[in-house]
């Protein structure tokens, strides 16, 4: 994505300032009385909401990683479609979040389980005490891993996801969503499989 940015003279996208400006303009309109105050208040609440922040963060992440060698308006449209798809895929669960973690000599400080060979998504199964994820305090056990530095792992094998995490350098950008019940179901299934294998083992 940096090559695309350089070609079109683009700095990394950030929408936070634009949203603040929109809120300021609404406050100006509020004083003018041109638009009912209740409608403006509702719009401001949307822009200040956690949901809007989540959409903004995911859009910015997608915009930086969309691999399209086209002008900015085409890239913006592709990023918008991908962001809508990401939120639609959340199926009523928690919405996607963007987390940046520094890669240290000890790694990123979490373990994953699951993968397409196990017919399950990739999940954060453990946050290692004292590690990068633990210090950052934004990643949670039960988070489903959606992408690593812009590369989707939603249908990836366990090995592919682990390789992406191992090979990532510097600041690593993760997109995750919190669905702990599915992780609990996975762990219960694995425990039942272990118990079944132990039951068949020779005495």
């Amino acid at each position: 994505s940096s090559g695309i940015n350089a070609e079109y003279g683009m700095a990394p996208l950030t929408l936070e300032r634009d949203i603040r400006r929109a809120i300021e303009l609404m406050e100006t309109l509020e004083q003018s009385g041109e638009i009912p105050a209740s409608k403006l208040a509702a719009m401001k609440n949307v822009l200040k909401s956690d949901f809007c922040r989540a959409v903004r963060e995911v859009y910015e992440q997608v915009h930086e990683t969309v691999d399209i060698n086209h002008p900015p308006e085409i890239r913006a449209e592709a990023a918008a479609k991908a962001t809508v798809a990401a939120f639609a895929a959340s199926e009523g669960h928690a919405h996607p979040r963007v987390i940046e973690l520094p890669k240290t000599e000890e790694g990123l400080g979490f373990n994953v389980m699951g993968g397409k060979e196990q017919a399950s998504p990739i999940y954060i199964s453990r946050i290692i005490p004292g590690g990068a994820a633990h210090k950052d305090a934004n990643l949670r056990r039960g988070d489903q891993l959606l992408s690593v530095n812009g590369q989707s792992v939603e249908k990836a094998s366990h090995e592919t996801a682990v390789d992406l995490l191992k090979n990532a350098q510097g600041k690593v950008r993760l997109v995750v969503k919190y669905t702990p019940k599915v992780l609990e179901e996975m762990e219960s299934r694995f425990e039942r499989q272990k118990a079944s294998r132990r039951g068949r083992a020779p005495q």
Side-chain angles (χ1 to χ4, degrees), residues 165-178:
L165 292 167
K166 280 184 177 177
N167 294 331
Q169 300 296 323
K171 193 169 280 189
V172 182
R173 303 182 88 179
L174 310 173
V175 177
V176 299
K177 67 178 180 181
Y178 188 55

Side-chain angles (χ1 to χ4, degrees), residues 180-197:
K181 285 187 178 178
V182 184
L183 176 62
E184 288 170 14
E185 289 167 7
M186 283 171 54
E187 290 182 327
S188 296
R189 191 176 74 205
F190 292 148
E191 286 303 317
R192 287 195 300 271
Q193 289 172 350
K194 281 182 188 176
S196 175
R197 284 196 294 270

Side-chain angles (χ1 to χ4, degrees), residues 1 4-5 10-13 57-67 72-73 75-80 83:
S1 63
I4 298 171
N5 278 351
M10 293 163 61
L13 180 75
E57 288 180 350
V58 172
Y59 180 88
E60 289 170 355
Q61 156 77 0
V62 171
H63 188 272
E64 285 305 298
T65 55
V66 167
D67 189 18
E73 61 272 16
R75 186 173 173 183
E77 183 180 354
T83 302

Side-chain angles (χ1 to χ4, degrees), residues 110-131:
F110 62 86
N111 295 340
V112 297
M113 66 184 298
K116 69 176 182 180
E117 68 274 30
Q118 298 165 9
S120 73
I122 305 292
Y123 273 89
I124 310 302
S125 58
R126 179 172 178 250
I127 304 293
I128 299 169

Side-chain angles (χ1 to χ4, degrees), residues 10-196:
M10 293 163 61
L13 180 75
T14 174
L15 301 177
E16 188 175 3
R17 186 177 59 184
D18 297 321
I19 290 173
R20 281 203 308 268
R21 179 63 178 149
I23 291 170
E24 288 169 7
L25 290 172
M26 284 181 196
E27 287 168 351
T28 302
L29 282 171
E30 212 168 12
Q31 292 167 6
S32 73
E34 293 177 35
I35 298 175
S38 59
K39 287 188 177 180
L40 287 169
M43 291 172 68
K44 282 197 295 182
N45 285 339
V46 169
L47 290 176
K48 292 176 179 179
S49 69
D50 289 342
F51 176 76
C52 183
R53 179 180 52 76
V55 172
R56 174 178 63 78
E57 288 180 350
V58 172
Y59 180 88
E60 289 170 355
Q61 156 77 0
V62 171
H63 188 272
E64 285 305 298
T65 55
V66 167
D67 189 18
I68 297 178
N69 192 17
H70 284 299
E73 61 272 16
I74 302 296
R75 186 173 173 183
E77 183 180 354
K81 287 179 179 177
T83 302
V84 170
F87 277 82
S90 62
E91 297 174 352
H93 296 296
H95 295 296
R97 311 182 327 271
V98 177
I99 293 174
E100 289 191 345
L101 291 176
K103 184 73 171 288
T104 68
E105 290 181 4
E106 289 77 30
L108 292 165
F110 62 86
N111 295 340
V112 297
M113 66 184 298
K116 69 176 182 180
E117 68 274 30
Q118 298 165 9
S120 73
I122 305 292
Y123 273 89
I124 310 302
S125 58
R126 179 172 178 250
I127 304 293
I128 299 169
H134 182 252
K135 290 174 182 174
D136 180 74
N138 284 310
L139 195 67
R140 291 187 281 184
R141 183 179 181 279
D143 274 330
Q144 179 187 339
L145 189 59
L146 302 178
S147 74
V148 179
N149 283 341
Q151 286 194 253
S152 173
V153 294
E154 287 189 76
K155 296 180 181 177
S157 68
H158 183 83
E159 184 179 4
T160 297
V162 169
D163 284 346
L164 278 172
L165 292 167
K166 280 184 177 177
N167 294 331
Q169 300 296 323
K171 193 169 280 189
V172 182
R173 303 182 88 179
L174 310 173
V175 177
V176 299
K177 67 178 180 181
Y178 188 55
T179 50
K181 285 187 178 178
V182 184
L183 176 62
E184 288 170 14
E185 289 167 7
M186 283 171 54
E187 290 182 327
S188 296
R189 191 176 74 205
F190 292 148
E191 286 303 317
R192 287 195 300 271
Q193 289 172 350
K194 281 182 188 176
S196 175

